[in-house]
Every structure is written in C-alpha cells, then in structure tokens.
Amino acid sequence: MSIAVAIAKTAPCLNLYLCRLGNIVTVSFISLDSAERIKRPFGEVYYFPIADGLPDLPIFSEVIDLFAFRRRKAPVPQKTSFNFRDLRGWHARFSLTKFNDDYSDGQIRILGEDYKMLFGGALKQGMSMSDTDNEKLPGLVQYFGQLLTRPAIGYFTGSLPEMGREHVKADILDFPATDAEGRNRFILSFIRERVR
C-alpha cells in the first residue's frame, strides 16, 4: 500500500494531500512552535488540537500519515480502522490503552516490548492507568483524558522518568481513536528512543 504525497507549503501550516486507492484526504499540519507547550519535570508536552491540524513531526510522519488516512472525514479515526499490518515496524514501540466512559481510568491493552523496556518495566500490559499515577509519572491519566476530550494529539519529548532510566531520551506521540459508537475511548501511543 503506497501513499502518494504532494505537499504545498502555506504559513503557518503545511497542507498534505494523501491519495490512496482514489480517495483524497487533505490535511493541515501545525508546526511545533504553534502547538500549546507545557513544561514537565522530565521534558515537554505539546498539544495539537485535531480541529487545527496534525503535528508536523518528521520522526513520526508514517503514523501521522496513517492517522490522517484512517480518519477519513471524521475528526478521529475508529480503533478498528487500524490493522496490525498498518503498524509494521512499530509493533515493539506501540501501546494501546482503552479508557472508561468518564476517562478517570484506563487499561493498557497492548504494550510493545521496546516500549516496556524503555520504561524499565514500570508499565505492564493489563495495567490500570491509575496504577501509573505516581511521583515519576504524575498526571498521566489527566493528560490522556485531555487528548480524548479535546480531542488532540499529544507529543512528549524528554527523559523517561523511571528509576535508573532518567538518562534515556525519548519522543512519544499519542493520539485518540474512537470505539464502534464513535466515542473517544482509545489512545494509540508510539515511542522512539532518541539516540545521541
């Protein structure tokens, strides 16, 4: 499955035209400088409201393009619109979390081996998100809740705050997906270790 891409530059966004099997999807991209930025103890979090466009992050361009294509004309794609083959090359660096109706808690449904290893085993498949809320990962449930309610795509860049892993630099992209009824219930998360 190839994606033909033509880019036309406009300020402050880039427009991307994805063409696959005759379907054309137009997407606006937002630069990192235009995103809402929040300083965290171990790095920075950026919010990209989906209504404004998608993040212009070259290190995650494959998954951002996939997100754009899978959502079609909806603001957020359905989780079931992604298949395992779509994520080829990302399986070990992928996580899927399902949230309850009020976003007060969720459960890690899929956790790739590299994702787990980069966090020093602090995250586990089947784990409740409320179990991750500690001094090292404060506010993770609230962060994901904001991505689901806005809806927005989140991007973290910085160090991994787990004991003995503080020296590991990583980039994490998180985006929402809906259930079959169209409710934002899932977070698809992708991690890349930043090699110095």
Side-chain angles (χ1 to χ4, degrees):
M1 281 190 290
S2 66
I3 298 175
V5 178
I7 299 177
K9 291 188 177 189
T10 59
C13 299
L14 295 174
N15 289 319
L16 175 68
Y17 302 92
L18 298 174
C19 188
R20 185 185 236 169
L21 302 176
N23 297 322
I24 296 178
V25 179
T26 304
V27 179
S28 294
F29 280 101
I30 304 169
S31 70
L32 202 56
D33 295 337
S34 300
E36 177 187 344
R37 180 178 145 231
I38 297 174
K39 187 81 172 130
R40 302 291 296 203
F42 293 92
E44 297 174 327
V45 171
Y46 295 84
Y47 291 95
F48 298 87
I50 291 172
D52 296 346
L54 301 181
D56 181 20
L57 299 169
I59 62 170
F60 290 108
S61 62
E62 306 162 46
V63 291
I64 292 168
D65 291 351
L66 179 64
F67 177 86
F69 181 73
R70 291 296 183 201
R71 72 182 184 159
R72 299 278 199 276
K73 294 182 179 174
V76 176
Q78 270 194 1
K79 180 196 70 89
T80 56
S81 67
F82 296 92
N83 65 56
F84 203 63
R85 287 186 313 268
D86 287 338
L87 304 175
R88 193 172 316 142
W90 286 97
H91 297 144
R93 296 176 285 148
F94 171 71
S95 173
L96 174 72
T97 304
K98 181 178 183 183
F99 281 81
N100 57 15
D101 287 333
D102 66 0
Y103 309 131
S104 63
D105 203 1
Q107 182 183 40
I108 300 172
R109 294 291 180 93
I110 297 173
L111 184 64
E113 286 301 312
D114 289 355
Y115 208 118
K116 181 177 172 181
M117 184 266 318
L118 285 169
F119 274 89
L123 301 178
K124 296 175 179 35
Q125 191 163 311
M127 180 181 212
S128 291
M129 290 307 297
S130 57
D131 292 338
T132 68
D133 201 15
N134 58 50
E135 68 279 351
K136 295 287 186 173
L137 293 170
L140 197 55
V141 173
Q142 291 82 3
Y143 163 71
F144 285 145
Q146 286 184 18
L147 298 182
L148 293 165
T149 56
R150 285 184 178 197
I153 293 177
Y155 170 62
F156 169 82
T157 184
S159 301
L160 299 179
E162 282 304 315
M163 182 67 100
R165 306 296 294 165
E166 294 88 353
H167 66 285
V168 177
K169 305 284 186 209
D171 295 292
I172 304 172
L173 182 72
D174 303 302
F175 60 78
T178 67
D179 60 16
E181 288 79 41
R183 297 173 299 194
N184 295 337
R185 293 285 298 274
F186 297 93
I187 294 289
L188 287 78
S189 184
F190 301 86
I191 191 168
R192 280 202 126 136
E193 183 175 5
R194 209 171 327 125
V195 182
R196 298 173 199 187

